Structures are given as structure tokens and as C-alpha cells.
Amino acid sequence: MRYDDDAQLDASEVTDTRGQGAGSGSGFGGLGGGGGGGGGLLPLLIGLLFRGRSGKVSWVLIVVVVVGFLAVTFLGGGGGTGSSIAGGFGEPGGPAVAGTSELASECRTGADANTNPDCAIVADINSIQAYWTGGGYAQIASRVRGAQPRYQNVDTVFFSGRVNTRCGSADSSSGPFYCPTDDLVYIDLTFYDQLRQQFGAQGGPLANAYVLAHEYGHHVQDQLGTLSSTEAASARQGASSAAVRVELQADCYAGVWMNNATRPQGGRPAFITEITRADLDTAVDAATRIGDDYIQGQLGGGTVDPDSFTHGTSAQRKKWLTTGFTTGDPTRCDTFRTNDLG
């Protein structure tokens, strides 16, 4: 995977809060915390309720909001390892921006992305959003009643250790996540080390980009209304649940971006000039390492329980990521109208 040396990076799409501290609020348990795992869909939908997309909010939901984390996380879980959704409710308010100007001075062109891992992430974010802005989103939105008419660019927040969001207070063990309440993607970049060292993934530039493309897939779902739809609102866990379908669709959207990443978007040159088969293999490898069955059975050392799945099996995540990459068509990512999830 290589970036265009002459591409002009836009670091304003990143808010860098590393080293700034995240204020008060209780954090999450470690990855060995077991339980529900993976963030789940119900906390996400409660976040949407708080943003006013639904009508009445029951007292039960309010209680869950007070004690739970309200975002979609990248990791699967259940049974033995995976992100816990138990945690304190964070203080509202946007993140600090003290580190952003420094990042902008370091990450100016694609040449910087080819030598600086932080700049590579900036380039990935620019590329992902250029695709969705340049026509990818409109391709789906035209078919969805009630969808936002245009894709809205949103920032990724780099944090270190702990961060407070309008979806809750998180620490780095939660993994990357999208918070629909404040329309931001969050990541502690040490997650990439964890993905290699703890999960056994090969890692690499495209594997790293896949993580973020998945989270931006959730933002696309948010704008389309998928996350607040009646079907998704069931929020049940299980092998064919709406929660799993949401996550597999985000994987598919990530694959669609990969297919289109080397093409000009909206009249602008592509940020990425080359994605090889070896690059794709690293992304697929990462997807298989965070399947519910792999996490429960291989990392947790426990029994695989399909009734607790929230993100899909390794085979399913591989299938939908490669479906997106092979077709390059976001309309082929409708995981809600198929009986064959893989």
C-alpha cells in the first residue's frame, strides 16, 4: 500500500488529544472482562435516542444510559474477552485540540504518510471520507427513504489512555469506536499494537485503515438511518441478530472503500496509489482475528456461544469485507435482507 507523494493531506479531519488528559469519569474494564462484549447495538441506539431521533425514552433506557457505554466498538466479544460495556457516563463536551496543530505541521503530503504512521492514518481518513463524499454515499442514499441527503464529514479523535465522550467514558481497552451522539470516531493508536500482539494479526497499513473504514461505515449507517431503523432497534444479540448485521455491513462498507481507494474522487486525485493482494490479505487477516467465535474460543479460552454474538464470526467478517472489496458497490452490502450471512 502506497500513498501519492504529492497528495495534500487535511489534518483538520483529526482531533489529536493525546497527552492532554480526558478529565474525570470511570473507565472500562480490561479486555478480559467478559460479559456482553463489543459495545453491542443497544447502547448505540440509546445514544441515538439521546440525540432526539426517537420519541419517548423509557426510564429503563435512561438507567442504561447512566451506567453504560453508548457507542459501537470495533471489537467483538462475549464469553472471555472483548470490550466491556460497563463504565461511567462521561462528561459532555467536545475533545481538546491541543495536539492537532502539531499533527498538521507534520502531515502535509502523501510523502509524509509514506514515512510517518500517524500521517498514514490522516491520509486514510481523508481517503475514506473523499470516497463517501465523492459519490459513494449518494449511491446508497438515493435508495433509502429518510436518509440524510449528503455525506457529512466527521473527525477522528486520537486519544491516549482515556477519553470522555457524549456516549460515555472510555479507555483504550474499549478499542476504536464510533459515537453517534457526537458524530466522532475515536481511537487510541496503541490499538494497532494490541491487534498484532494480543490478537495475533499481521498488521500493516491496510489492516490499520480497515479499522477506521469500519468505524466510518457506522457513520454512513447513522446518516442513512440504518442504526435507528425499526429492525435494528431490536438490539438482540445472536448469530443472525440485527447487531451482527450492522457490524457485517460496516465491514462490507470498509471493503467497498478499499476497492475505490485508488480512484480519483470528486475530481480530486486519489490519496492512495496502490493496494496489493498482500495488503488485502492483511486486512482480511485482521477481520478474522476479531470475529466473535475467534475471540471467545481462541483468546478467551471459553465455549463459543452463538447466542451472544454481536459482531459476527471470523468467516462472516471475512465474507463481507471481501464482498465489499470485490464488488466495490455499497448497494451490495445489504446484510439486512439476506438469509445467508456466511
Side-chain angles (χ1 to χ4, degrees), residues 21 51 59 101 199:
R51 199 166 61 183
W59 286 107
S101 59
F199 290 79

Side-chain angles (χ1 to χ4, degrees), residues 255-273:
V256 169
W257 162 73
M258 291 177 194
N259 176 286
N260 290 277
T262 58
R263 298 184 177 93
Q265 302 294 339
R268 299 175 58 187
F271 290 90
I272 297 169
T273 60

Side-chain angles (χ1 to χ4, degrees), residues 11-100:
S12 71
E13 293 185 351
V14 173
T15 301
D16 191 356
T17 71
R18 292 172 294 178
Q20 303 305 313
S24 60
S26 59
F28 282 64
L31 283 169
L41 185 60
L42 178 58
L44 165 72
L45 294 173
I46 298 169
L48 292 174
L49 289 172
F50 253 73
R51 199 166 61 183
R53 291 195 176 182
S54 300
K56 283 188 173 182
V57 180
S58 73
W59 286 107
V60 174
L61 293 182
I62 292 174
V63 170
V64 176
V65 167
V66 171
V67 300
F69 183 55
L70 316 181
V72 176
T73 65
F74 180 72
L75 297 176
T81 188
S83 303
S84 170
I85 63 171
F89 187 73
E91 294 295 327
V97 295
T100 302

Side-chain angles (χ1 to χ4, degrees), residues 13-205:
E13 293 185 351
V14 173
T15 301
D16 191 356
T17 71
R18 292 172 294 178
Q20 303 305 313
S24 60
S26 59
F28 282 64
L31 283 169
L41 185 60
L42 178 58
L44 165 72
L45 294 173
I46 298 169
L48 292 174
L49 289 172
F50 253 73
R51 199 166 61 183
R53 291 195 176 182
S54 300
K56 283 188 173 182
V57 180
S58 73
W59 286 107
V60 174
L61 293 182
I62 292 174
V63 170
V64 176
V65 167
V66 171
V67 300
F69 183 55
L70 316 181
V72 176
T73 65
F74 180 72
L75 297 176
T81 188
S83 303
S84 170
I85 63 171
F89 187 73
E91 294 295 327
V97 295
T100 302
S101 59
E102 183 177 329
L103 190 68
S105 67
E106 296 175 354
C107 304
R108 297 180 181 275
T109 69
D112 299 321
N114 282 319
T115 58
N116 183 325
D118 286 3
C119 299
I121 300 302
V122 173
D124 295 337
I125 294 164
N126 291 167
S127 175
I128 292 164
Q129 300 214 92
Y131 167 69
W132 290 115
T133 303
Y137 177 79
Q139 197 172 345
I140 324 173
S142 62
R143 302 175 176 220
V144 179
R145 180 181 299 178
Q148 296 295 317
R150 288 177 295 278
Y151 178 82
Q152 176 187 355
N153 278 25
V154 296
D155 287 0
T156 289
V157 178
F158 292 173
F159 72 95
S160 179
R162 178 180 295 184
V163 65
N164 287 330
T165 80
R166 289 189 175 94
C167 287
S169 176
D171 66 24
S172 57
S173 68
S174 66
F177 61 93
Y178 169 66
C179 173
T181 312
D182 57 17
D183 284 323
L184 292 170
V185 172
Y186 291 86
I187 184 170
D188 184 329
L189 296 182
T190 61
F191 173 75
Y192 293 131
D193 296 328
Q194 182 186 25
L195 193 58
R196 292 190 304 271
Q197 296 167 10
Q198 181 175 348
F199 290 79
Q202 299 173 35

